[in-house]
Amino acid sequence: QRLRKIISSRAIHLILFRSKVSSITTTIMSASDIVPPGVVTGDNLRKLLTHAKENGYALPAFNCTTSSTCNAVMEAAKKFNSPVMIQVSNGGGKFFAGKSCSDPNASAAGAVAMALHVRAMAPYYGVPVVLHSDHCAKKLLPWFDGMLEADEAYFAQYGEPLFSSHMLDLSEEPDDENIAICVKYFEKMAKMQIWLEMEIGITGGEEDGVNNEDVDPEKLYTTPEQVYSVYEALSKIGDMFSIAAAFGNVHGVYKPGNVTLQPERLGKHQAFAKEKLKSESDKPIFLVMHGGSGSTDEEIATAVKNGVVKMNIDTDTQWAYWEGLKDFEAAKHDYLQGQIGNPDGADKPNKKFYDPRVWIRKSEESMIARCGVSMEKLSSKDKYPAKVPEAGSVPMWNFQPKSGGALGFISGAINKVIHPTK
């Protein structure tokens, strides 16, 4: 027992030393000097998030459900010179797979397919992209397991995981169980240098089938002791983890009643950990923010100031995507009532208006603009001047598996998720 305590203490001090050295480096360099463009994992992900924490900005994490929304996010990152996170939820993975796909592993297969799409296209946009999976409640652990299997298969081929990071949301479970399950998974993830995001304390509202609209308001605020208990447990395994600590957050556009957002509480979590760890850093913990829709600019800025390195955005970009289509339909209504015939003539064709590439693009343009708003609010704009490669310089297949070819690997990765026993 005494030896275990000594080892744990040394592990924590090693993490603090490593963080201090990284902090000195990242505060004197720009993000573009630290990490390459394209999907970032492992050490590069750690460097990127450390740079964000030490330089007062956070990465926007956009929920995506289609190749169109993924491309819109990457285009926004290129346009506004920002590192970015693309994240997929269980429901998003299921939608990507196809709503008619009834296989129990469809959500995992869809998430894998989205990740492979992003990996294939990210190098063309010239910015760092973090591939992340969103909220995974206890009942959704089979989905999480499926993605980890794909990570392992990808890691065996390329020496890095398919995804950059995954989130476990066991906040509805007792704290001891929440932390124990996170420790179990983090031990497996750390071997592949996959970042773990976990949640302690409850985010209100409703998200992807998890409804906390009627939760006790007091549970919407995590205590410093809860946050430190997570840090203490996970830091014994590694330093690639972040904590979503509730401070009155609510998913969606809701009025949380008598609950108010209190991002200053995050500073108290950091101060508590700093004292416990005797750390020289004022922000020894990586924090993330959920339920940011409707938050004021001041609340977001306060959260980032107190060590938030990532904020989820979904509701606002969903509306923006729809609004682009809505406005297009309103402007071109008379051209969208039939294949032939419009105000320009009864025999005039309307294909250039109803072609999906036209109206989907309008949705993308609206979403791109809204992504830029989030990048501005989180101060990630202009933190990474896009390094768009010269035309033709990126191989059509920008990865080289050890065997089986690119198509063979993609097919194998998805089949492994759908048929794990084969």
Side-chain angles (χ1 to χ4, degrees):
Q1 183 70 22
R2 183 164 175 257
L3 179 60
R4 186 180 296 122
K5 288 183 178 180
I6 293 173
I7 293 173
S8 297
S9 175
R10 288 182 177 178
I12 291 174
H13 279 88
L14 179 60
I15 288 173
L16 292 174
F17 175 75
R18 190 177 191 177
S19 176
K20 181 180 178 182
V21 172
S22 180
S23 172
I24 294 172
T25 302
T26 56
T27 52
I28 60 176
M29 302 177 75
S30 71
S32 61
D33 295 323
I34 294 173
V35 297
V39 173
V40 293
T41 63
D43 289 337
N44 283 331
L45 177 56
R46 181 194 293 108
K47 291 175 185 177
L48 178 61
L49 295 181
T50 299
H51 187 270
K53 185 172 67 166
E54 298 300 333
N55 290 275
Y57 68 95
L59 272 64
F62 299 103
N63 280 73
C64 293
T65 56
T66 62
S67 59
S68 170
T69 50
C70 289
N71 293 346
V73 168
M74 289 188 286
E75 184 176 344
K78 179 180 74 171
K79 180 177 180 178
F80 297 103
N81 298 305
S82 172
V84 74
M85 287 194 180
I86 288 178
Q87 58 187 28
V88 58
S89 66
N90 178 270
K94 178 68 168 67
F95 187 83
F96 202 97
K99 291 292 285 185
S100 67
C101 184
S102 59
D103 192 282
N105 291 310
S107 292
V112 168
M114 183 189 292
L116 290 168
H117 167 76
V118 173
R119 275 198 170 272
M121 298 311 304
Y124 293 92
Y125 290 88
V127 291
V129 179
V130 180
L131 267 172
H132 180 70
S133 66
D134 201 10
H135 294 265
C136 179
K138 187 176 181 179
K139 65 182 180 181
L140 299 179
L141 285 176
W143 169 57
F144 198 94
D145 293 333
M147 291 185 292
L148 278 185
E149 285 186 28
D151 283 320
E152 290 169 345
Y154 199 93
F155 188 87
Q157 290 283 353
Y158 307 111
E160 67 173 340
L162 175 60
F163 288 86
S164 312
S165 56
H166 294 295
M167 188 212 172
L168 285 171
D169 181 1
L170 304 167
S171 56
E172 292 186 320
E173 314 305 324
D175 284 1
D176 288 348
E177 182 180 4
N178 180 352
I179 295 171
I181 294 176
C182 286
V183 165
K184 172 188 170 185
Y185 276 97
F186 192 39
E187 287 173 342
K188 180 182 292 188
M189 294 165 65
K191 296 174 183 177
M192 295 181 279
Q193 285 196 299
I194 302 174
W195 191 279
L196 171 65
E197 176 185 331
M198 68 83 66
E199 182 165 351
I200 190 160
I202 295 175
T203 298
E206 190 273 337
E207 176 81 359
D208 210 35
V210 178
N211 194 319
N212 290 323
E213 292 177 287
D214 298 321
V215 71
D216 179 356
E218 280 303 309
K219 293 184 179 180
L220 297 180
Y221 300 104
T222 307
T223 67
E225 290 80 8
Q226 286 177 295
V227 172
Y228 186 72
S229 67
V230 174
Y231 182 92
E232 198 171 29
L234 296 182
S235 63
K236 296 173 184 177
I237 302 166
D239 61 350
M240 292 183 61
F241 65 91
S242 52
I243 303 170
F247 52 96
N249 323 58
V250 178
H251 285 133
V253 182
Y254 295 98
K255 291 182 179 179
N258 58 350
V259 175
T260 57
L261 204 61
Q262 298 178 18
E264 63 276 2
R265 286 178 177 247
L266 301 178
K268 296 178 180 178
H269 302 331
Q270 298 283 19
F272 186 87
K274 174 183 173 72
E275 174 62 27
K276 282 283 188 179
L277 297 168
K278 308 302 179 187
S279 172
E280 292 185 14
S281 172
D282 290 332
K283 296 179 287 188
I285 298 176
F286 290 95
L287 298 173
V288 299
M289 178 178 177
H290 294 170
S293 297
S295 302
T296 66
D297 292 354
E298 183 180 2
E299 289 167 339
I300 292 172
T302 300
V304 173
K305 177 183 177 182
N306 286 312
V308 162
V309 295
K310 171 210 178 211
M311 186 178 86
N312 290 1
I313 302 106
D314 188 13
T315 304
D316 291 335
T317 44
Q318 285 179 344
W319 173 259
Y321 196 88
W322 155 246
E323 190 171 39
L325 173 56
K326 176 178 69 70
D327 291 349
F328 175 74
E329 194 283 331
K332 303 297 182 183
H333 177 83
D334 293 342
Y335 295 83
L336 297 167
Q337 303 311 305
Q339 287 185 290
I340 303 293
N342 59 48
D344 298 330
D347 61 344
K348 297 294 184 180
N350 294 315
K351 179 173 171 56
K352 65 179 181 180
F353 299 102
Y354 65 75
D355 184 330
R357 291 170 295 182
V358 176
W359 48 266
I360 288 176
R361 180 57 183 166
K362 295 302 179 181
S363 290
E364 289 176 351
E365 289 172 350
S366 180
M367 181 174 175
I368 289 164
R370 183 57 186 80
C371 288
V373 171
S374 292
M375 292 165 181
E376 185 82 46
K377 290 176 181 288
L378 293 169
S379 299
S380 68
K381 180 182 176 183
D382 294 329
K383 290 298 189 295
Y384 194 101
K387 299 178 179 179
V388 180
E390 292 184 13
S393 64
V394 176
M396 185 164 55
W397 298 111
N398 50 56
F399 47 83
Q400 293 295 326
K402 294 177 182 177
S403 63
L407 287 174
F409 174 74
I410 291 173
S411 175
I414 293 176
N415 282 333
K416 184 174 178 63
V417 172
I418 296 177
H419 305 292
T421 58
K422 289 187 178 182

